[in-house]
Amino acid sequence: MPIRDPVLELEARARFLHLPIKNGAPKRDVTLEIGDSPPQNLTIELSDSEPDWWTSVDISSQVGKTIRLTTSRLPAGSTAFSQVFQSNDVPGVVEAYGEAKRGLFHFSPRRGWLNDPNGLVYFQEEYHLFFQHNPYGWGWGNMHWGHAVSRDLVRWTELPPALLPDLQGTMYSGSAVVDVRNDSGLGVAGKPPLLLFYTAAGNPFTQGMASSMDGRIFTKWPGNPVVPHIAGENRDPKVFYHAQSHRWVMVLYVEEGGEHTLQFFNSQDLRSWTLTSKISGFYECPDLVALPLDGESDQMKWVLSAANSDYMVGSFEGERFTPDTPIIKGQSGRGFYAAQTFNGIPESDNRVIQIGWFQTETRGEPFNQAMSFPMELGLITTPSGPRLTWTPVRELGQLEDVAHDVRATTLRPGSVEPWAGFSAEAGRLTLEFLDTDSILSLNLRGLAIIYDGANREIRIGNLNVAVPPSNGRQRLDILVDRIGVEVFAGGGQVFIPYPQVFDHSRKDWKIGVEKGEFQFTSVRLARIKSAWTP
Ligand code: FRU
């Protein structure tokens, strides 16, 4: 006999409440009521027996209050509710970040699912990385805004989720700004608030705002929505300050009349927004950012992009994006999506830094998916027009242990490699060589990467990517982690993300010449240490 309408009532007594999860178990509709917080309607793969892992809900602010867990039915003998327990620490936390498929220098959630980066912002001397997060499951669902902070873009500390689903819906993607002049009135004199703009994915989808004074506790604005429903699943607000025209700008994805559009809004107070223009041809997760062409600050151009990372270069005076180019192909790999750039980076730094969702599936682990390594964006003039460039942020150097730094060497088929026997789970290979029609064959932990000089292309799996030489040279910069590879080439114009969960037993790296001759001006091999240990 199934158990009908099971209810579990407990008094909150500890920091965490733990629910048993089994990946792939039937999804159950569960309502979780904790003290005076609004009830949460969740879909959870509850474990009826021994769980794969526990989801741990922070209940520390509700001690003494009642916790109520309800669902419609559980199978006979299910221990889903009777296993629920409380404690002051997270089960398995000692082992966390040491799991076999945990990327060593790519951010991943401690538990549960991750997709888009959200609310990338520098605030009170910390980089904030919010992210689409299911704390209750290995797969997508129950969208929360997960939250992590870092002082160096390399070592991240995960904090409790910043935004939880509410009666307006689950929490879809969006962005964050530092309201420096307190235009919203949600800060106090001399202390700017951090504002989050998110999509409440309810019925219908609307855009909401939440504020925080300390980057830890977030309060949804009682006047939400800031932008009411327009059409369909309108979503993913990207907000930033447009200094030249002294106004706040929001770019929003709206599917209207069967067309994928991005719509531009203006605001003075961040609470009320006025539509100023629309553009077609982009799908979800927009971003719009200014970059100096060839590094010249008097030649600012605007780059409009969306989830697949294709982009247009043009101008933006505050109300309307005017393209100079058609849509240009962005990244050249796979499994990279919904990238976003940071707001709030101080002018003294002046970098445009981007993180994207790196779609690395980690089956069998209590967590799933990762972020790309943070990259600095640039914009350069090429014979085909302006093009974006991607470079891993220099902070990666903090984790590098250089094993070989060879200044000049020439290799032919059968040559003994000066770095023979190199092995690493995570590392970085940087090669510079004279343009040649020869063939270079890399084998990094069992993954073959070919550079075919005659065709000036890189081949990985079924990808063939053209890489233009610059000044008669090629430079390949390759990051390898347990969960994937990121290749940078062609002076940064070529970015090839490539998710790949490596076989644990393969740690060997080989760099050999298959045909012809390679004159290297530099070969650098570094191991990358784990970002998760001090
Ligand atoms: C892109 C996306 C967004 C949406 C979010 C939901 O991956 O579909 O458009 O806000 O994911 O998780």
Side-chain angles (χ1 to χ4, degrees):
M1 283 288 281
I3 313 166
R4 294 200 183 281
D5 300 321
V7 180
L8 177 69
E9 252 184 37
L10 305 162
E11 186 194 311
R13 289 182 268 98
R15 278 188 63 195
F16 297 103
L17 172 75
H18 312 290
L19 313 182
I21 309 294
K22 186 147 215 98
N23 298 335
K27 293 193 163 83
R28 303 196 191 285
D29 291 326
V30 176
T31 303
L32 174 60
E33 294 161 272
I34 307 175
D36 42 27
S37 322
Q40 292 197 65
N41 297 317
L42 305 164
T43 307
I44 312 185
E45 292 169 348
L46 275 180
S47 177
D48 295 315
S49 55
E50 188 67 17
D52 287 337
W53 54 281
W54 300 87
T55 179
S56 302
V57 189
D58 190 333
I59 52 169
S60 53
S61 63
Q62 304 289 336
V63 169
K65 309 245 172 76
T66 302
I67 302 172
R68 244 175 140 246
L69 211 55
T70 50
T71 185
S72 54
R73 73 205 300 244
L74 289 172
S78 168
T79 53
F81 276 10
S82 56
Q83 293 184 84
V84 170
F85 74 106
Q86 305 179 53
S87 72
N88 288 329
D89 42 29
V90 170
V93 78
V94 177
E95 300 88 52
Y97 303 118
E99 300 94 344
K101 294 182 188 166
R102 177 78 70 180
L104 296 184
F105 65 100
H106 287 85
F107 177 79
S108 51
R110 188 165 61 193
R111 295 279 185 272
W113 163 269
L114 161 156
N115 55 294
D116 314 347
N118 294 154
L120 300 184
V121 70
Y122 186 76
F123 176 67
Q124 293 177 0
E125 291 170 21
E126 287 176 323
Y127 295 95
H128 288 257
L129 165 62
F130 301 89
F131 53 95
Q132 286 291 282
H133 184 35
N134 181 3
Y136 296 95
W138 187 83
W140 184 92
N142 304 309
M143 294 329 284
H144 288 53
W145 273 34
H147 188 195
V149 290
S150 171
R151 294 200 172 263
D152 57 13
L153 291 165
V154 169
R155 298 177 183 88
W156 295 94
T157 305
E158 188 171 332
L159 301 172
L163 299 177
L164 274 54
D166 61 28
L167 295 173
Q168 268 61 57
T170 49
M171 300 286 108
Y172 273 22
S173 286
S175 54
V177 297
V178 184
D179 178 13
V180 180
R181 287 166 313 282
N182 195 21
D183 293 337
S184 65
L186 295 171
V188 293
K191 259 200 113 187
L194 175 60
L195 302 180
L196 310 184
F197 289 86
Y198 59 90
T199 299
N203 191 8
F205 279 39
T206 57
Q207 317 311 318
M209 171 170 74
S211 67
S212 173
M213 294 309 297
D214 62 357
R216 294 292 184 274
I217 295 170
F218 295 85
T219 310
K220 288 172 182 154
W221 186 50
N224 279 335
V226 289
V227 179
H229 181 245
I230 302 165
E233 297 190 346
N234 50 198
R235 62 181 181 274
D236 309 337
K238 169 73 190 202
V239 176
F240 64 93
Y241 187 66
H242 189 257
Q244 297 83 339
S245 67
H246 310 283
R247 67 187 82 189
W248 293 96
V249 174
M250 179 189 290
V251 192
L252 189 69
Y253 165 68
V254 186
E255 186 178 338
E256 211 172 30
E259 229 182 300
H260 295 162
T261 71
L262 299 184
Q263 308 201 349
F264 298 81
F265 298 80
N266 283 175
S267 176
Q268 291 301 335
D269 62 4
L270 292 144
R271 300 170 178 224
S272 64
W273 293 86
T274 314
L275 179 70
T276 57
S277 67
K278 303 180 188 181
I279 190 167
S280 297
F282 290 92
Y283 177 62
E284 64 186 24
C285 303
D287 198 6
L288 176 58
V289 69
L291 282 162
L293 183 61
D294 302 315
E296 305 285 345
S297 54
D298 58 349
Q299 286 214 55
M300 296 307 286
K301 288 282 170 194
W302 288 80
V303 176
L304 180 66
S305 62
N308 69 0
S309 117
D310 292 355
Y311 62 96
M312 272 179 172
V313 183
S315 54
F316 183 71
E317 310 304 334
E319 296 189 355
R320 173 181 302 276
F321 178 81
T322 312
D324 296 342
T325 68
I327 292 185
I328 301 166
K329 192 168 160 34
Q331 57 91 10
S332 311
R334 57 185 175 89
F336 178 83
Y337 202 69
Q340 187 181 105
T341 53
F342 276 85
N343 279 323
I345 294 192
E347 261 173 47
S348 56
D349 182 338
N350 225 358
R351 285 182 295 176
V352 173
I353 299 171
Q354 184 190 60
I355 295 178
W357 168 24
F358 197 21
Q359 298 172 330
T360 58
E361 194 183 89
T362 43
R363 219 159 257 287
E365 297 288 7
F367 66 91
N368 191 8
Q369 312 285 318
M371 290 300 172
S372 74
F373 189 73
M375 293 167 287
E376 184 176 348
L377 296 187
L379 191 66
I380 57 166
T381 303
T382 78
S384 335
R387 289 293 181 274
L388 273 181
T389 62
W390 287 263
T391 314
V393 296
R394 57 172 176 266
E395 286 85 344
L396 181 56
Q398 297 176 23
L399 299 177
E400 290 174 8
D401 239 335
V402 180
H404 297 277
D405 200 353
V406 179
R407 282 289 142 217
T409 189
T410 299
L411 294 190
R412 295 179 196 89
S415 303
V416 176
E417 306 166 21
W419 44 82
F422 179 80
S423 74
E425 268 197 295
R428 180 178 198 172
L429 168 64
T430 316
L431 297 169
E432 225 177 76
F433 50 88
L434 302 185
D435 194 22
T436 167
D437 58 7
S438 304
I439 297 179
L440 182 70
S441 162
L442 311 180
N443 190 301
L444 310 180
R445 302 197 58 189
L447 175 68
I449 303 180
I450 304 292
Y451 172 73
D452 176 344
N455 296 307
R456 291 193 177 124
E457 70 178 21
I458 291 177
R459 295 198 286 268
I460 312 179
N462 57 8
L463 299 174
N464 279 352
V465 183
V467 280
S470 50
N471 302 326
R473 286 178 191 212
Q474 286 284 13
R475 185 170 187 276
L476 312 184
D477 192 10
I478 306 178
L479 311 185
V480 177
D481 200 347
R482 289 172 174 172
I483 41 83
V485 171
E486 287 148 320
V487 180
F488 301 87
Q493 279 182 69
V494 174
F495 165 45
I496 316 173
Y498 196 83
Q500 159 101 359
V501 178
F502 284 101
D503 175 350
H504 221 45
S505 65
R506 292 293 304 265
K507 302 199 172 76
D508 51 304
W509 296 40
K510 291 198 186 65
I511 307 157
V513 172
E514 200 172 297
K515 191 178 139 216
E517 178 181 285
F518 273 78
Q519 293 177 41
F520 293 99
T521 48
S522 127
V523 177
R524 187 175 177 277
L525 274 156
R527 291 194 180 83
I528 298 182
K529 292 177 281 207
S530 173
W532 301 112
T533 46

